[in-house]
Amino acid sequence: MAQENKQQRPAGKPRTGEDPAPAVGALPRITTKEIKLGQVDQPVVQEAPMSFELPLNTAMSANVAAADITDIESRTGQVHTNEDGVTLVPTRANPVARSLLAKMWVSTTPPTQALNIVDRLQGTPYANPKVNTEQDASARRTMEFALDLGETLIRYGAGALEVETSVIAVTAALGLSHLDVDITNQSLHLNYSPPDAESYSILRVVRSSTSNYAGLVLVHRLVSDIIAGGVSRSESAKRLKKITRQPKPFPRWVVSCGNAVFAAAFVLFIGGSWLGALVAMASASIVSQVGRYGARWRVPEFFTIAASSFVVTGIALVSYQLKAPIDPALVVSGGILLLLPSSRFVSALQDAINGFPVTAVGRLFSAGLIYTAIVAGISAALVISSVLGGEVVDVHQIDKVEYPAWLLIILVAVAIIAGSVTEQTSVKLLLPTAAIAVLGYLVQLLCDSIGLGPRAIPAVVATVIGFAARFAADKLRSPQLVMAAPAVMFLLPGLMIFRAMYGIVFEVEDMSRGLVEMFNAFAIMLSIAGGVVFGDTLCRPLTSRARRERKSIRRR
């Protein structure tokens, strides 16, 4: 009977009071991990977020609300206003706006990420070298060659940035990655630590220096050829050895004549007489011999420079006591000008600006010692002259000879060529360096005509010279320092230094005046060095290598 009733009851209609029979697949499957014994899940209540908690593109205010997802404008990510005047912000961000915000706020290189060492070459003459991706099999030989290259650059007077970029470019072009370079004053340290090979650490200390701008140009061209990918390591080592063994372009007697010609031309340039120029020429010739024998006897540079400035001042004072128609202040100014460490000041300022503070301090201290040695030699000669009863020189009333402008331009060119010869520069760079100096002198005349102050003019002229030297150096494949350092020599305050020393020694009651003038002379030298570095920085975007880099970026 029960079976009959069961058959008569239609399927799918449960009896009153009974639960419906579950259909297959109607209930969700629950795993054992989802069963929480003794726990009852509470419904999660989501509070409406505050306006400051919402993203930038979904923040709501009194007259701003979230757009309905069914609205076509909200699906396209556009902000619009409905019929009630309420601004509707889409729930999905506009992809274009999101991309722009990502570019504005997200940095491509996090500040804590290590920079690639090859990126250090950006903005230098060695930017974008052809990096050899194949690892060098003999890393030790490549490091030794890089050390020899860096040592040669330091000995020839290159700045720390020039040395660092040259070593980085050469090692990258020769297939040596995972290399760190550290330059501290006279030491060059290379550390090679690959992830899956033996590490090397080599240190080289440079204990000597020489004036060889021609060799510096040859090393610069060697580095340019290496990064171009056309020179192997063995051939590069042979070329570097040939450069170091190559004699300087000018013999010693030519350098001595260049020193004398520079002193005579500068004395005429600042208003001295022709007899004063001859006296300056004689004293400069003697100074060349003092420097030669000082180097042969290994006398410290401080005492050699002090003796040289003593000789220059002594000869000028003796000539004045003999009633020669000269002004000793002008003669001394022309004689000590080549002794001033102008290139060291430029290199020190360049190192300080480019991130080498220790090297900059060392070079500034070295240049300051040379400056002090010049002052000591001048003061010693003045004191001895006073003790022997010499006639007092009136340094504030100087009778200058007025020469025509065309003659002054010729004197600037001759003086700069002679000064470049003393620095052993390349013969092909003599005329371009003189042309840059003449351009600087014309700018000086222009600044005088518009009424710039005596302290602002040297900085402006040095900036123009630094700019022109960088542009010409890029065309002639040479370092900027080789052309800029000799070209700014006519700006050096030699006369101001002599006036300051004379006031300190003889005007004891008003010594502050001499100290202030000495500080002003030092400040002018620093402003000249800073102007050269600033002009170099301004001209970097106009160099040929920088233009090629921009063209390659546009092609990408």
Side-chain angles (χ1 to χ4, degrees), residues 309-315 317 376-386 506:
S309 60
F310 175 82
V311 169
V312 171
T313 308
I315 292 177
L317 293 177
I378 294 175
S379 61
L382 292 175
V383 169
I384 293 176
S385 175
S386 177
F506 292 104

Side-chain angles (χ1 to χ4, degrees), residues 24 124 236 376 392:
V24 178
T124 67
S236 301
V392 178

Side-chain angles (χ1 to χ4, degrees), residues 106-142:
V106 180
S107 175
T108 56
T109 303
T112 56
Q113 181 179 350
L115 297 176
N116 190 359
I117 192 171
V118 182
D119 294 339
R120 181 69 170 165
L121 303 178
Q122 300 299 327
T124 67
Y126 309 129
N128 292 330
K130 291 186 178 180
V131 180
N132 190 357
T133 57
E134 298 180 0
Q135 187 64 37
D136 192 356
S138 55
R140 182 62 180 263
R141 293 184 179 179
T142 303

Side-chain angles (χ1 to χ4, degrees), residues 38-189:
Q39 298 181 5
V40 179
D41 293 337
Q42 299 293 336
V44 179
V45 179
Q46 295 183 354
E47 298 180 356
M50 303 298 292
S51 60
F52 62 87
E53 296 176 346
L54 291 174
L56 180 63
N57 61 333
T58 57
M60 295 183 294
S61 60
N63 58 347
V64 180
D68 189 3
I69 194 65
T70 59
D71 193 347
I72 186 172
E73 293 183 348
S74 65
R75 293 198 302 271
T76 58
Q78 298 179 359
V79 180
H80 59 286
T81 305
N82 61 4
E83 298 177 353
D84 299 332
V86 179
T87 303
L88 301 179
V89 181
T91 58
R92 186 169 62 88
N94 191 327
V96 178
R98 187 170 183 173
S99 176
L100 292 176
L101 288 176
K103 292 180 180 179
M104 292 173 57
W105 295 102
V106 180
S107 175
T108 56
T109 303
T112 56
Q113 181 179 350
L115 297 176
N116 190 359
I117 192 171
V118 182
D119 294 339
R120 181 69 170 165
L121 303 178
Q122 300 299 327
T124 67
Y126 309 129
N128 292 330
K130 291 186 178 180
V131 180
N132 190 357
T133 57
E134 298 180 0
Q135 187 64 37
D136 192 356
S138 55
R140 182 62 180 263
R141 293 184 179 179
T142 303
M143 292 179 64
E144 290 177 352
F145 168 71
L147 274 180
D148 295 338
L149 182 74
E151 179 186 8
T152 304
L153 289 171
I154 294 175
R155 288 186 66 247
Y156 290 169
L161 181 64
E162 177 80 12
V163 178
E164 184 191 56
T165 54
S166 300
V167 172
I168 293 174
V170 166
T171 53
L174 296 179
L176 194 64
S177 56
H178 307 285
L179 184 76
D180 288 330
V181 183
D182 180 36
I183 301 173
T184 305
N185 201 8
Q186 292 180 319
S187 63
L188 178 61
H189 183 206

Side-chain angles (χ1 to χ4, degrees), residues 256-498:
S256 299
C257 293
N259 197 353
V261 171
F262 176 85
F266 190 78
V267 168
L268 294 175
F269 173 73
I270 60 178
S273 62
W274 290 95
L275 182 59
L278 293 177
V279 174
M281 182 179 294
S283 61
S285 301
I286 298 176
V287 165
S288 298
Q289 299 302 318
V290 171
R292 176 183 176 184
Y293 285 100
R296 178 181 299 180
W297 297 338
R298 296 188 180 278
V299 178
E301 187 180 16
F302 179 88
F303 299 108
T304 302
I305 297 297
S308 300
S309 60
F310 175 82
V311 169
V312 171
T313 308
I315 292 177
L317 293 177
V318 169
S319 302
Y320 181 73
Q321 300 302 327
L322 295 177
K323 306 301 180 181
I326 64 171
D327 195 313
L330 301 179
V331 175
V332 173
S333 300
I336 67 173
L337 209 60
L338 281 178
L339 301 177
L340 293 174
S342 58
S343 60
R344 295 190 187 183
F345 275 111
V346 174
S347 298
L349 263 289
Q350 190 177 22
D351 294 342
I353 293 173
N354 293 323
F356 299 92
V358 178
T359 305
V361 170
R363 292 191 174 184
L364 276 177
F365 186 76
S366 176
L369 279 180
I370 301 302
Y371 187 81
T372 306
I374 295 173
V375 171
I378 294 175
S379 61
L382 292 175
V383 169
I384 293 176
S385 175
S386 177
V387 171
L388 296 179
E391 186 178 353
V392 178
V393 180
D394 189 2
V395 297
H396 302 293
Q397 298 293 331
I398 298 178
D399 296 330
K400 294 184 178 182
V401 181
E402 296 293 336
Y403 295 105
W406 62 267
L407 181 58
L408 294 179
I409 294 175
I410 295 176
L411 290 175
V412 169
V414 171
I416 298 306
I417 291 177
S420 301
V421 169
T422 61
E423 296 291 345
Q424 294 288 354
T425 191
S426 178
V427 178
K428 296 181 179 180
L429 299 181
L430 292 177
L431 292 179
T433 305
I436 293 173
V438 170
L439 174 64
Y441 177 66
L442 295 177
V443 173
Q444 182 181 6
L445 295 179
L446 178 62
C447 294
D448 284 331
S449 63
I450 63 178
L452 287 182
R455 291 169 181 79
I457 290 178
V460 175
V461 176
T463 302
V464 175
I465 290 177
F467 186 94
R470 164 56 66 187
F471 189 81
D474 180 69
K475 301 298 182 182
L476 299 174
R477 298 180 63 195
S478 67
Q480 186 253 7
L481 181 67
V482 172
M483 306 183 70
V488 297
M489 285 183 178
F490 72 96
L491 295 174
L492 298 178
L495 181 59
M496 185 178 295
I497 294 174
F498 181 78

